[in-house]
Amino acid sequence: MMPMAQDDGLEQMYQEVILEASKHPSGRVAFAPDLTDEAVSAGESTVMAPHEACAAGESHQFNPTCGDEATIHVDVSDAVPHRIERVVWDGHGCSISQASLSIMVDLVEGRTVDEAMDLFRTFHALMESRGAGLAEDAKADELGDAIVFQGVSKYPMRIKCALLGWEGLKDSMARALAQA
Amino acid sequence: MADFEAIRRQFPILDQQVHGRPLVYLDSAATAQKPQAVIDAESGFYESINAGVHRGAHELAARSTVAFEDARAAMARFVGASAEEGHEELVVTAGATAGLNLLATAFGYASMGRGPAAARRFALGPGDEIVVSQAEHHSVLLPFQELAARTGATLTWLALDDEGRIRTDTADEVITDRTKVVAMTHVGNVTGAITDLAPVVRRAHEVGAVFVLDACQSVPHLPVDFHALDVDFAAFSAHKMYGPTGAGFLYGRRELLEALPPAWFGGSMVELAWMDKPAQYMDPPARFEAGTQPVAQVVAAGVAAQWLQSIGMDAVAGHEQALTSELLRLGDIPGVRILGPMSATARIGTVAFEVEGVHPHDVGQYIDAQGIAIRVGHHCAQPVHRHFGVYASNRASLGVYNTMDDVHALLDAVAGVRPFFGVGGTRAE
């Protein structure tokens, strides 16, 4: 059929980089329980904060409005400066959340925790820009492919999708360091 | 024969463009839009009537009390409840969720020995059972799950069949001599399936249980008569039936309302209060209406009931069923699966669907860009989604103002989803 005409916002949001990353995401491995499985959920009927199920260096993130979730796992070096040796995740969600997780993994693996936190703050600023982007070009360059989420920042309902993985990264690094 | 084109023109909000296209509103199961008559009733109340009800001796207080009670009576006539003064069967609430929580809280107090002697019939304890279904909205499931936890009772449920219909054929097994409460939806808010209530209500009464109906999704779309259905309690919201937000009603058979202990306490629900003696509470419905009520919203809800009645609920149901048959063609689109009954029989025009390979949030974003409003997410019913093996879904839901053009706009838009996201082929340029 003939595709319908799109408004520009839709094209800016769903850039090819995002669709591609969401279909073939980096860092995604299966290690968390599948909560659509009734057998699994029946066994978890007691009230438990999601974090109680997480190991050190892991953070479970959940978006209750759409049910998207991701468990992010980081291995951080004992040596100082602490460095992200490995970051993997498991979960499910919309193309924005999945692509953001994927691009984040490519961006932060091998970086120090401090560098990753700088990127976290820069990405947060981008997502809070309401479509305007970042004032400093240098900052925008640091984000690499993650800059494509500028189009998403125009949509208040979707910002949380793009931030899901990053919030998990920040929390899992903190939890890893608390164990170190 | 009702003129549905003229009816649609009574909704000012529908006359606008969204993202450069005419708005197509297909989210009435979340909240319905309001006809001019309802908007005018609410603002008109504030312009010329507003005052506290059931107190004060001045003229405005009298007018406001009459308007409030007239609205209660109009709503009662609309849903097949008693409107007779002194035998009222509708309690004003803030909405269906508030009504269901009120009821579960009152049952909990009855279980603690509160209320009149007749309240013992609601008392729950270890060994007793509360029965729900897997189709329930969280606002039915959670209040009764919590009630079970508070009283030591056990929560059990009727399962769903492949189409998401409640397995009412299992009522005789699941509802037992130990069952005290059965709480169930009239129409699934995800599946759109109409529950075959008769065998469940009959079985509940056979074992001496009270039957609580969630009528949120039926009252706006079907002729509903609580007396004819023989249910004991029923909750529904005004805002889904073209009335204002912030108001709803809890139906209770009169003798049961008289037996029920109050759940909330404060002004306007007590006859005599002392420092050193137990208070003496008012008769229903006032006993359950502590504090200032959403008076303007209730008055406008009464107008909504009369407005629907003037169209006729058989005509409303017929109009929506014709559209539903067409809407179900969603299932013919490659990669689209309907989560609910596939035929327009015994269902309403609330149709949840999954687009294979595209997350509901992305589907919703694409559909929204075409100016079409649908709901995406779990629709406050996670166990239903688990039944279908998905986390979330897309849901289109019809209202009295929808047209065949609206349905076709959605069908065209959904057909474009997978090409746009490059699923099931290459991405459309």
Side-chain angles (χ1 to χ4, degrees):
Chain A
M1 64 166 278
M2 283 289 292
M4 301 176 81
Q6 304 307 333
D7 74 3
D8 291 346
L10 201 64
E11 294 287 357
Q12 283 168 22
M13 177 185 291
Y14 292 111
Q15 298 194 29
E16 203 60 46
V17 174
I18 289 179
L19 293 184
E20 192 51 36
S22 73
K23 282 176 200 151
H24 307 287
S26 300
R28 183 175 176 177
V29 295
F31 64 90
D34 178 1
L35 295 180
T36 60
D37 185 335
E38 288 184 336
V40 169
S41 60
E44 302 191 346
S45 55
T46 53
V47 177
M48 185 169 75
H51 278 134
E52 292 177 52
C54 289
E58 263 180 29
S59 173
H60 178 264
Q61 295 290 317
F62 182 57
N63 183 349
T65 60
C66 56
D68 287 6
E69 61 187 317
T71 304
I72 291 91
H73 177 101
V74 293
D75 292 332
V76 173
S77 70
D78 291 334
V80 178
H82 299 295
R83 194 170 288 279
I84 298 172
E85 295 173 330
R86 176 170 171 261
V87 52
V88 291
W89 58 279
D90 189 10
H92 59 90
C94 64
S95 60
I96 303 300
S97 67
Q98 305 296 283
S100 185
L101 275 150
S102 171
I103 291 169
M104 176 188 83
V105 166
D106 292 341
L107 204 53
V108 303
E109 205 157 33
R111 307 270 191 134
T112 66
V113 167
D114 287 345
E115 287 168 346
M117 279 309 298
D118 278 344
L119 288 166
F120 170 89
R121 283 185 284 268
T122 306
F123 190 72
H124 241 279
L126 176 73
M127 295 319 295
E128 287 158 11
S129 74
R130 299 187 178 196
L134 297 171
E136 297 171 58
D137 286 348
K139 283 280 181 197
D141 290 346
E142 286 173 16
L143 284 178
D145 276 353
I147 198 72
V148 297
F149 291 95
Q150 183 176 331
V152 178
S153 71
K154 272 194 284 198
Y155 295 86
M157 311 282 281
R158 303 307 296 276
I159 292 171
K160 196 165 179 192
C161 308
L163 288 174
L164 189 78
W166 287 89
E167 295 292 347
L169 175 72
K170 178 187 173 190
D171 188 47
S172 59
M173 291 191 302
R175 292 167 60 82
L177 292 178
Q179 294 290 315
Chain B
M1 184 63 197
D3 178 354
F4 283 93
E5 283 182 25
I7 288 166
R8 180 188 174 89
R9 287 195 294 273
Q10 295 178 40
F11 290 80
I13 200 171
L14 298 177
D15 183 23
Q16 66 173 301
Q17 304 253 313
V18 168
H19 303 309
R21 289 164 184 254
L23 169 64
V24 174
Y25 188 75
L26 292 171
D27 196 15
S28 296
T31 195
Q33 299 302 347
K34 320 306 174 196
Q36 193 65 54
V38 169
I39 297 168
D40 290 348
E42 191 174 342
S43 59
F45 178 86
Y46 287 126
E47 283 165 6
S48 56
I49 302 176
N50 183 47
V53 297
H54 295 304
R55 70 194 80 169
H58 57 77
E59 172 60 20
L60 287 186
R63 274 192 231 165
S64 128
T65 301
V66 167
F68 183 70
E69 291 303 329
D70 281 356
R72 188 200 306 272
M75 188 60 77
R77 286 189 292 273
F78 181 63
V79 295
S82 168
E84 194 190 332
E85 196 179 339
H87 296 273
E88 296 91 343
E89 292 183 312
L90 288 187
V91 174
V92 166
T93 66
T97 301
L100 291 160
N101 276 279
L102 184 165
L103 197 57
T105 303
F107 288 174
Y109 287 148
S111 307
M112 297 164 71
R114 303 297 301 162
R120 294 295 77 71
R121 65 185 300 164
F122 306 120
L124 290 152
D128 293 330
E129 292 167 355
I130 301 172
V131 176
V132 297
S133 87
Q134 198 181 341
E136 300 313 315
H137 189 281
H138 294 165
S139 64
V140 176
L141 172 63
L142 299 180
F144 288 101
Q145 196 173 60
E146 284 290 328
L147 176 64
R150 285 200 300 273
T151 59
T154 305
L155 187 85
T156 61
W157 57 90
L158 296 185
L160 307 181
D161 70 12
D162 289 348
E163 285 199 317
R165 288 192 188 278
I166 299 171
R167 289 280 311 276
T168 56
D169 57 309
T170 63
D172 286 358
E173 300 142 49
V174 178
I175 300 170
T176 72
D177 290 344
R178 322 197 79 165
T179 305
K180 291 287 179 63
V181 178
V182 179
M184 207 156 289
T185 190
H186 197 181
V187 172
N189 78 308
V190 175
T191 62
I194 300 172
T195 309
D196 177 19
L197 288 177
V200 190
V201 174
R202 180 192 52 71
R203 176 62 179 165
H205 288 161
E206 192 175 277
V207 301
V210 293
F211 187 94
V212 181
L213 185 71
D214 170 6
C216 272
Q217 302 289 349
S218 57
V219 166
H221 304 290
L222 304 169
V224 171
D225 182 322
F226 293 139
H227 284 169
L229 291 169
D230 200 26
V231 297
D232 299 308
F233 294 97
F236 59 102
S237 297
H239 74 99
K240 292 189 202 288
M241 55 177 292
Y242 313 102
T245 53
F249 297 87
L250 176 68
Y251 162 80
R253 261 177 41 215
R254 182 69 197 187
E255 60 166 291
L256 295 180
L257 284 183
E258 286 174 357
L260 195 67
W264 297 319
F265 304 86
S268 302
M269 53 78 68
V270 66
E271 284 178 354
L272 296 165
W274 293 273
M275 297 309 293
D276 57 352
K277 281 194 286 188
Q280 191 175 326
Y281 298 117
M282 294 171 83
D283 284 338
R287 186 191 298 167
F288 306 103
E289 296 176 358
T292 299
Q293 298 300 302
V295 182
Q297 289 69 32
V298 167
V299 168
V303 169
Q306 289 169 304
W307 182 85
L308 277 169
Q309 206 150 28
S310 73
I311 300 168
M313 290 311 291
D314 285 318
V316 168
H319 171 72
E320 293 180 11
Q321 190 175 35
L323 297 179
T324 302
S325 296
E326 189 71 2
L327 181 57
L328 289 168
R329 287 183 52 213
L330 277 168
D332 299 337
I333 298 169
V336 174
R337 173 170 70 128
I338 288 174
L339 309 180
M342 299 289 290
S343 85
T345 321
R347 66 130 59 233
I348 67 161
T350 291
V351 179
F353 59 99
E354 177 197 21
V355 180
E356 192 193 334
V358 187
H359 189 278
H361 236 147
D362 296 324
V363 175
Q365 197 80 50
Y366 179 86
I367 302 288
D368 172 66
Q370 327 294 331
I372 304 171
I374 62 168
R375 174 90 184 260
V376 298
H378 52 57
H379 323 305
C380 304
Q382 293 178 7
V384 188
H385 284 87
R386 246 170 245 130
H387 169 74
F388 288 111
V390 295
Y391 295 99
S393 67
N394 316 284
R395 182 185 70 184
S397 54
L398 300 171
V400 68
Y401 30 65
N402 287 121
T403 65
M404 216 43 110
D405 286 348
D406 292 345
V407 174
H408 289 150
L410 179 73
L411 293 172
D412 287 349
V414 173
V417 168
R418 293 175 96 227
F420 177 79
F421 288 99
V423 175
T426 52
R427 191 180 184 188
E429 292 303 325

